[in-house]
Coordinates of all heavy atoms in Angstrom, one line a residue:
Chain B
G73 N 197.0 27.0 -22.1 CA 196.4 26.5 -23.4 C 195.0 26.1 -23.2 O 194.1 26.5 -24.1
K74 N 194.6 25.5 -22.1 CA 193.2 25.1 -21.9 C 192.4 26.3 -21.7 O 191.2 26.3 -22.2 CB 193.2 24.2 -20.6 CG 192.0 23.4 -20.5 CD 192.2 22.0 -19.8 CE 190.9 21.2 -19.8 NZ 190.2 21.3 -18.5
V75 N 192.9 27.3 -20.9 CA 192.1 28.5 -20.7 C 191.8 29.2 -22.0 O 190.7 29.6 -22.2 CB 193.0 29.5 -19.8 CG1 192.4 30.9 -19.8 CG2 193.0 29.0 -18.3
V76 N 192.8 29.3 -22.9 CA 192.5 29.9 -24.2 C 191.5 29.2 -25.0 O 190.5 29.8 -25.5 CB 193.8 30.0 -25.0 CG1 193.6 30.4 -26.4 CG2 194.8 31.0 -24.3
M77 N 191.5 27.8 -25.0 CA 190.6 27.0 -25.7 C 189.2 27.2 -25.2 O 188.2 27.3 -25.9 CB 190.9 25.6 -25.7 CG 192.2 25.2 -26.5 SD 192.3 25.9 -28.1 CE 191.1 24.9 -28.9
E78 N 189.1 27.3 -23.8 CA 187.8 27.5 -23.2 C 187.2 28.9 -23.6 O 186.0 29.1 -23.7 CB 187.9 27.3 -21.7 CG 187.9 25.8 -21.3 CD 188.4 25.5 -19.9 OE1 188.8 26.4 -19.2 OE2 188.4 24.3 -19.6
G79 N 188.1 29.9 -23.7 CA 187.7 31.2 -24.1 C 187.1 31.1 -25.5 O 186.1 31.7 -25.9
L80 N 187.8 30.4 -26.4 CA 187.4 30.3 -27.8 C 186.0 29.6 -27.9 O 185.2 29.9 -28.7 CB 188.4 29.5 -28.6 CG 189.7 30.3 -29.0 CD1 190.7 29.4 -29.7 CD2 189.3 31.5 -29.8
E81 N 185.8 28.6 -26.9 CA 184.6 27.9 -26.9 C 183.4 28.9 -26.7 O 182.3 28.7 -27.3 CB 184.6 26.8 -25.8 CG 183.4 25.9 -25.9 CD 183.3 25.0 -24.7 OE1 183.4 25.5 -23.6 OE2 183.2 23.8 -24.9
K82 N 183.6 29.9 -25.9 CA 182.6 30.9 -25.7 C 182.1 31.5 -27.0 O 181.0 31.8 -27.3 CB 183.1 32.1 -24.8 CG 183.2 31.7 -23.3 CD 183.1 33.0 -22.5 CE 183.5 32.7 -21.0 NZ 184.9 33.0 -20.8
A83 N 183.1 31.8 -27.9 CA 182.8 32.3 -29.2 C 182.0 31.3 -30.0 O 181.1 31.7 -30.7 CB 184.1 32.7 -29.9
V84 N 182.4 30.1 -30.0 CA 181.7 29.0 -30.7 C 180.3 28.9 -30.3 O 179.4 28.8 -31.1 CB 182.4 27.6 -30.5 CG1 181.6 26.6 -31.2 CG2 183.8 27.7 -31.0
K85 N 180.0 29.2 -29.0 CA 178.7 29.1 -28.5 C 177.9 30.3 -28.8 O 176.7 30.4 -28.6 CB 178.7 28.8 -27.0 CG 179.3 27.5 -26.6 CD 178.7 27.0 -25.2 CE 178.9 25.5 -25.1 NZ 180.0 25.1 -24.1
N86 N 178.6 31.4 -29.2 CA 177.9 32.7 -29.4 C 178.3 33.2 -30.8 O 178.6 34.4 -30.9 CB 178.3 33.7 -28.4 CG 177.7 33.4 -27.0 OD1 176.5 33.6 -26.8 ND2 178.5 32.8 -26.2
L87 N 178.2 32.4 -31.8 CA 178.7 32.8 -33.1 C 178.0 34.0 -33.6 O 178.6 34.8 -34.4 CB 178.5 31.6 -34.1 CG 179.5 30.5 -34.0 CD1 179.1 29.4 -35.0 CD2 180.9 30.9 -34.3
E88 N 176.8 34.3 -33.2 CA 176.0 35.4 -33.8 C 176.5 36.7 -33.2 O 176.3 37.8 -33.7 CB 174.5 35.3 -33.5 CG 173.9 34.0 -34.1 CD 174.4 33.8 -35.5 OE1 174.4 34.8 -36.3 OE2 174.6 32.6 -35.9
N89 N 177.2 36.6 -32.0 CA 177.7 37.9 -31.4 C 179.0 37.7 -30.7 O 179.1 38.0 -29.5 CB 176.6 38.4 -30.4 CG 176.7 39.9 -30.4 OD1 177.7 40.5 -30.8 ND2 175.7 40.5 -29.8
I90 N 180.0 37.4 -31.4 CA 181.3 37.2 -30.9 C 181.9 38.6 -30.3 O 182.5 38.6 -29.3 CB 182.3 36.6 -31.9 CG1 181.8 35.2 -32.3 CG2 183.7 36.6 -31.4 CD1 182.6 34.5 -33.3
K91 N 181.5 39.6 -31.0 CA 182.0 41.0 -30.6 C 181.6 41.3 -29.2 O 182.4 41.6 -28.4 CB 181.2 42.0 -31.5 CG 182.2 43.0 -32.2 CD 181.6 43.7 -33.4 CE 180.2 44.3 -33.3 NZ 179.8 44.9 -34.5
A92 N 180.3 41.1 -28.8 CA 179.9 41.4 -27.5 C 180.5 40.4 -26.5 O 180.9 40.7 -25.4 CB 178.3 41.3 -27.4
T93 N 180.5 39.1 -26.9 CA 181.0 38.0 -26.1 C 182.4 38.3 -25.6 O 182.8 38.0 -24.5 CB 181.0 36.7 -26.8 OG1 179.7 36.5 -27.3 CG2 181.4 35.5 -25.9
F94 N 183.2 38.9 -26.5 CA 184.7 39.1 -26.2 C 185.0 40.6 -25.8 O 186.2 40.9 -25.7 CB 185.5 38.8 -27.4 CG 185.8 37.3 -27.5 CD1 186.4 36.8 -28.6 CD2 185.5 36.4 -26.5 CE1 186.7 35.4 -28.7 CE2 185.8 35.1 -26.6 CZ 186.4 34.5 -27.7
A95 N 184.0 41.4 -25.5 CA 184.3 42.8 -25.2 C 185.1 42.9 -24.0 O 186.1 43.6 -23.9 CB 183.0 43.6 -25.0
E96 N 184.8 42.1 -22.9 CA 185.6 42.2 -21.7 C 187.0 41.6 -21.9 O 187.9 42.2 -21.4 CB 184.9 41.3 -20.6 CG 184.2 42.1 -19.6 CD 183.5 41.2 -18.5 OE1 184.3 40.6 -17.8 OE2 182.3 41.2 -18.5
L97 N 187.1 40.5 -22.6 CA 188.4 39.9 -22.9 C 189.3 40.9 -23.7 O 190.5 40.9 -23.5 CB 188.2 38.6 -23.7 CG 188.1 37.3 -22.9 CD1 187.9 36.1 -23.8 CD2 189.4 37.1 -22.1
S98 N 188.6 41.6 -24.6 CA 189.4 42.6 -25.4 C 190.0 43.6 -24.5 O 191.2 44.0 -24.6 CB 188.5 43.2 -26.4 OG 189.2 44.1 -27.2
T99 N 189.1 44.2 -23.6 CA 189.6 45.2 -22.6 C 190.7 44.6 -21.8 O 191.8 45.3 -21.5 CB 188.5 45.7 -21.7 OG1 187.4 46.1 -22.6 CG2 188.9 46.8 -20.9
L100 N 190.6 43.4 -21.3 CA 191.6 42.7 -20.5 C 192.9 42.7 -21.2 O 194.0 43.0 -20.7 CB 191.1 41.3 -20.2 CG 192.2 40.4 -19.4 CD1 192.2 40.8 -17.9 CD2 191.9 39.0 -19.6

Side-chain angles (χ1 to χ4, degrees):
Chain B
K74 196 151 185 256
V75 164
V76 168
M77 293 309 291
E78 282 162 357
L80 286 174
E81 187 188 53
K82 285 205 191 93
V84 176
K85 295 205 161 109
N86 291 282
L87 284 176
E88 301 314 318
N89 208 345
I90 296 180
K91 235 164 38 186
T93 308
F94 277 172
E96 254 181 68
L97 267 177
S98 179
T99 307
L100 174 78

